[in-house]
Amino acid sequence: MTITTQAKKITESKPFYALTGAGDIAVEKARAYASTMQGKAETVARELPEKAKGYADAAASRFNRLYDDLASRGRKVT
C-alpha cells in the first residue's frame, strides 16, 4: 500500500473525523471563553478607576483618624 493510499485511508476514517470534531469543539469553546473574558475585563477596566478612588478615599480617612488619635495621645503624654 502506498503512503498516499494509507493517508487517504486514515483521513477518511471515523476516528480521524471524531478527533477533528473534538478539536473543532475545543476551538469553539475557547473562542467563546475568550469573548466572555474580554467582556468581563472591559467591565472591570471601566469600573476600576472609580473603585480605586473609593478605596483610596477610605484609606485616607482611616489614616487621618489614626493620625488624629496619635496626635491626641501624644498631647496626653506630654
Side-chain angles (χ1 to χ4, degrees):
M1 201 183 298
T2 65
I3 292 178
T4 306
T5 306
Q6 289 176 347
K8 187 174 182 180
K9 184 178 180 182
I10 290 171
T11 59
E12 291 179 354
S13 67
K14 192 172 186 175
F16 177 80
Y17 289 129
L19 182 61
T20 303
D24 186 48
I25 287 174
V27 169
E28 181 181 310
K29 297 292 183 183
R31 284 183 179 155
Y33 181 75
S35 177
T36 300
M37 289 299 107
Q38 182 179 3
K40 288 182 181 181
E42 289 170 357
T43 301
V44 168
R46 277 192 299 271
E47 295 173 354
L48 186 62
E50 193 164 318
K51 283 186 177 182
K53 184 181 181 320
Y55 293 140
D57 290 345
S61 176
R62 287 182 193 164
F63 290 136
N64 283 331
R65 274 184 283 158
L66 177 61
Y67 181 72
D68 291 342
D69 290 345
L70 291 173
S72 176
R73 184 179 179 132
R75 282 190 191 106
K76 291 178 186 176
V77 172
T78 57

